């Protein structure tokens, strides 16, 4: 009788799963196979230690082109009193790699001898003289690779668990092997379920979702050394899912049942697994990834005992699915392959902003990482379990243990890196206002050996980040209502003691983004107070929100008379998505965002969007490619191809 355990701690879930695998004799290498020793063995895992059959070299070999001699016979040779040795009786020419004659114990390089002919003159044939003359004594075993210099027969060449590299194959061949015993690749079946899912390549209609979790999971499985088989999408039909699982269990070592995104999908999966075998765990206190299911499918194999096939119910949300792979699937595959589980490099970094965490969960926080001055910083990314791009952008994962409930800005955290640590040294860290030109910056800087990592926290948040030393630069468009000037007053307020350069980046339009055809006839800010209009706003501290508040005050309109004023998004694209999806009728933003999502745009204002850089970083070579972009013709053309931008003042210094 299976027991359903709701949201048990992560370590307990891992322990229960491991114990059950051991009980069913599955916490070990599954199978061993013999393969030829060739280039196809790269990446395979040795199942048995590899002992040398032959020594390498298996004879005394010359390490130089020269003459093999007995070292004792050369003892009297001096620069002022050279010694002659007869060939081939006392010296014989050999090439690099040739075996040393039994009577010789060293090699004199050809450039250190004077070949002589029968008359005692210098010989024309350097390799076949009658004698050689030397002016220095030789030492025993000089310029000789003795037998077993590299490998001695019977010694350990490669340990079990070694993930084979090209050089490993060379060592195996040199030690006399022609075949290798490796762990067989585990067979993993991936079954996507959900009536709302459609395959990649079909245009989705409302309510339909492109199924790509199985691609991500299969990629992970193959990357980790197993063999993935992706099944076709199975609709939410109990009998069909049961039949497909049974088919998969007959030929697979592990089944990944990826639930759909509809309500109750994970409970539906649990009932299927319970019907076919046993549910060990249903719900793990990990964020994202709560509805993970761990269980086994029973394969009857009379007269033998039933074969138990592990099955993992993978959550439908893409980030949860990918992290389930890292947390549960990779360690299991590592055990089956006989190699250590993945242990990524890690760094300690300071959080750039406060994060909150559920008190009972192990929280996996996606972050971008960069080095600003002497500080290594981690900027949290979007937390949603459905935001697959947060994993694409993430440089690593910070794991907050249960009970932490979050951390304040500036707190030190340990980050498990997805990137090599040296990549962080080439990262330009930008925190501040969102603008679509910064996405182009990221692309163009990649071609110039720099990474551009940005976090969208609004203009005010960017200035605060600069004050804390948490960014190399910030984008800002903070309007001072008293003067009509941009950013200068805000810099004086937030960075009074920090010398900065204020540089014009772009002039751009701001206006109302509305659905195609403007069905509600929205044209001015006065229309926002209509009861039939819903607005999508930017977050507190964003320059766009301050711009809105300024013009509302000029029109004597109360922000709280606007339906949706407190509905916040962190980017122009986020506002555009809210309008395009029908969550809002309109939102204030830039025309490039409206165009990107097929919306109409009503221009209202022109504004200046600036880049602010502390003087501390102006002389840093790290930023040189960024400044070069200002004059790059291709970069400027790419921006000018977006609607609503004016580049005539790009690079102008407001504050040098």
């Amino acid at each position: 009788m299976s027991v359903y355990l709701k949201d048990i701690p992560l370590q307990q879930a891992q322990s229960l799963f491991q114990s059950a695998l051991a009980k069913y004799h599955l916490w070990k290498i599954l199978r061993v196979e013999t393969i030829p020793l060739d280039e196809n063995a790269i990446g395979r895992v040795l199942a048995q230690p590899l002992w040398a059959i032959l020594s390498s070299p298996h004879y005394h070999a010359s390490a130089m082109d020269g003459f093999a001699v007995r070292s004792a016979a050369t003892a009297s040779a001096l620069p002022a009193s050279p010694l002659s040795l007869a060939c081939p009786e006392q010296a014989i020419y050999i090439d690099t790699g040739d075996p040393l004659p039994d009577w010789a114990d060293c090699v004199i390089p050809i450039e250190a001898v004077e070949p002589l002919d029968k008359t005692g003159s210098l010989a024309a044939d350097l390799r076949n003289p009658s004698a050689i003359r030397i002016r220095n004594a030789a030492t025993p075993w000089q310029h000789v690779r003795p037998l077993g210099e590299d490998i001695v027969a019977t010694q350990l060449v490669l340990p079990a668990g070694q993930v084979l590299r090209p050089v490993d194959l060379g060592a195996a061949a040199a030690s006399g092997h022609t075949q290798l015993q490796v762990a067989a690749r585990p067979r993993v079946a991936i079954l996507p379920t959900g009536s709302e899912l459609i395959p990649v390549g079909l245009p989705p209609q409302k309510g339909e979702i492109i199924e790509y979790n199985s691609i991500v999971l299969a990629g992970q499985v193959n990357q980790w050394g197993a063999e993935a088989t992706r099944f076709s999408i199975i609709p939410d039909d109990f009998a069909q899912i049961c039949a497909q699982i049974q088919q998969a269990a007959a030929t697979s070592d592990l089944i990944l049942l990826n639930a759909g995104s509809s309500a109750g999908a994970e409970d539906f999966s649990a009932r299927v697994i319970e019907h076919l075998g046993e549910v060990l765990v249903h719900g793990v206190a990990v964020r994202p990834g709560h509805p993970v299911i761990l269980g086994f499918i029973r394969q009857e194999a009379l007269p033998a005992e039933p074969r138990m096939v592990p099955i993992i119910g993978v959550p439908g949300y893409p980030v949860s699915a990918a992290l389930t792979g890292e947390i549960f699937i990779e360690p299991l595959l590592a055990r089956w392959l006989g190699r250590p589980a993945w242990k990524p490099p890690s760094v300690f970094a300071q959080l750039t902003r406060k994060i909150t965490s559920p008190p009972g969960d192990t929280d996996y926080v996606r972050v971008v990482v960069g080095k600003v001055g002497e500080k290594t910083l981690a900027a949290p990314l979007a937390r949603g379990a459905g935001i697959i791009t947060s994993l694409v952008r993430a440089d690593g994962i910070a794991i907050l243990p249960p009970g932490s409930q979050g951390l304040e800005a500036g707190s030190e955290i340990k980050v498990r890196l997805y990137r090599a640590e040296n990549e962080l040294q080439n990262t330009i860290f930008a925190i501040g206002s969102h603008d679509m030109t910064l996405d182009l910056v990221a692309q163009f800087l990649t071609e110039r050996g720099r990474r551009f990592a940005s976090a969208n926290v609004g203009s005010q948040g960017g200035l605060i980040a600069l004050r804390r030393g948490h960014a190399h630069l910030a984008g800002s468009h903070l309007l001072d209502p008293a003067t009509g000037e941009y950013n200068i007053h805000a810099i004086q307020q937030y960075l009074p003691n920090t010398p900065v350069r204020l540089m014009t980046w772009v002039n751009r339009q701001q206006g109302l983004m509305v659905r195609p055809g403007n069905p509600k006839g929205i044209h001015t800010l006065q229309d926002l107070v209509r009861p039939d209009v819903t607005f999508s706003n930017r977050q507190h501290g964003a320059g766009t929100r301050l711009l809105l508040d300024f013009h509302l005050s000029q029109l004597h309109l109360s922000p709280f008379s606007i339906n949706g004023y407190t509905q916040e998004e962190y980017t122009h694209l986020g506002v555009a998505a809210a309008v395009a999806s029908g969550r809002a009728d309109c939102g204030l933003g830039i025309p490039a965002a409206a165009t990107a999502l097929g919306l109409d745009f009503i221009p209202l204002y022109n504004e200046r969007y600036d880049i602010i850089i502390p003087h501390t970083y102006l002389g840093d070579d790290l930023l040189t490619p960024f400044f070069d972009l200002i004059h790059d013709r291709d970069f400027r053309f790419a921006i000018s191809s977006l609607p609503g931008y004016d580049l005539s003042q790009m690079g102008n210094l407001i504050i040098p």
Side-chain angles (χ1 to χ4, degrees), residues 244-414:
Q244 287 283 48
I245 289 176
Q246 288 176 318
Q247 178 184 338
T251 57
S252 304
D253 302 306
L254 173 65
I255 299 171
L256 305 180
L257 183 64
N258 188 205
S261 61
S262 57
E266 283 79 19
D267 289 335
F268 188 78
S269 297
R271 288 194 290 112
V272 169
I273 296 171
E274 177 73 18
H275 177 72
L276 297 175
E278 63 175 318
V279 172
L280 188 69
V281 172
H282 184 197
V284 181
V286 59
R287 177 185 180 187
H290 275 274
V292 175
I293 304 169
L294 305 175
F296 293 86
I297 300 302
R298 183 178 294 103
Q299 277 278 295
E300 300 298 338
L302 296 177
E305 293 184 4
R307 173 174 174 259
M308 303 301 287
V309 181
I311 184 168
I312 298 178
V314 180
Y317 281 119
V319 177
S320 299
L323 288 178
T324 296
E326 293 183 12
I327 297 169
F328 292 103
I329 300 169
E330 194 281 334
L332 175 56
L333 296 180
R335 172 63 64 160
W336 284 352
L337 288 166
R339 62 166 174 79
W342 175 59
K343 289 187 178 179
S346 60
V347 297
F348 286 93
Q350 293 182 27
L351 276 175
T352 61
R353 64 177 174 85
K354 178 181 179 179
I355 54 175
T356 58
S357 181
D361 291 351
T362 300
D363 196 2
Y364 283 66
V365 181
R366 291 141 273 170
V367 297
V368 291
V369 182
K371 194 171 180 64
V372 180
E374 297 301 316
K375 297 178 180 177
T376 300
L377 301 168
L381 292 166
R383 304 293 299 277
I387 306 175
I388 188 65
T389 53
S390 65
L391 280 178
V392 174
R393 294 181 58 203
D395 297 325
I397 293 285
I399 303 175
L400 275 61
S404 64
Q405 300 188 45
L407 293 169
E408 296 293 329
S411 299
E412 186 175 71
I413 57 171
K414 185 178 182 180

Side-chain angles (χ1 to χ4, degrees), residues 4-26:
Y4 286 74
L5 304 172
K6 296 291 185 180
D7 284 354
I8 67 173
L10 175 58
Q11 288 187 343
Q12 183 182 352
Q14 292 170 322
S15 178
L16 283 170
F17 194 37
Q18 179 178 331
S19 296
L21 288 163
K23 171 185 172 183
Y24 296 128
H25 310 293
L26 295 173

Side-chain angles (χ1 to χ4, degrees), residues 196-208:
E196 75 282 12
L197 301 179
I198 62 170
V200 172
L202 294 182
Q205 305 300 315
K206 273 193 175 180
E208 294 180 335

Side-chain angles (χ1 to χ4, degrees), residues 99-276:
L100 205 66
D102 292 340
W103 52 265
D105 66 356
C106 65
V107 174
I108 301 175
I110 192 169
E111 59 268 21
V113 306
E114 300 170 25
L116 305 175
D117 60 20
K118 292 181 179 180
T119 66
S121 301
L122 291 177
D125 187 352
L126 301 182
R127 299 188 178 193
N128 191 28
S130 296
I132 61 171
R133 186 163 55 208
I134 59 174
R135 298 180 182 272
N136 289 287
T139 57
W141 303 108
Q142 75 173 25
H143 306 305
V144 174
R145 293 190 63 214
L147 181 149
E149 178 191 57
D150 187 6
I151 300 169
V152 178
T154 74
Q155 83 172 65
L156 178 66
V157 179
L158 296 169
Q162 178 86 357
V163 180
L164 293 170
R165 306 164 297 171
V167 291
D168 297 331
L169 302 187
S175 63
H177 289 275
T178 60
Q179 295 180 320
L180 300 169
Q181 286 189 301
V182 298
R185 288 191 172 108
R187 301 164 302 199
V188 181
I190 303 171
L191 281 63
T193 70
S195 298
E196 75 282 12
L197 301 179
I198 62 170
V200 172
L202 294 182
Q205 305 300 315
K206 273 193 175 180
E208 294 180 335
I209 299 173
I210 297 172
E211 195 288 300
Y212 57 81
N213 278 350
S214 66
I215 299 175
V216 175
L217 290 168
Q220 289 179 319
V221 164
N222 291 337
Q223 182 181 20
W224 294 329
E227 292 180 347
T229 299
R230 294 169 53 214
F231 281 59
S232 299
I233 297 167
I234 313 168
D236 290 323
D237 180 276
F238 190 90
Q240 285 191 52
I241 295 175
C242 286
Q244 287 283 48
I245 289 176
Q246 288 176 318
Q247 178 184 338
T251 57
S252 304
D253 302 306
L254 173 65
I255 299 171
L256 305 180
L257 183 64
N258 188 205
S261 61
S262 57
E266 283 79 19
D267 289 335
F268 188 78
S269 297
R271 288 194 290 112
V272 169
I273 296 171
E274 177 73 18
H275 177 72
L276 297 175

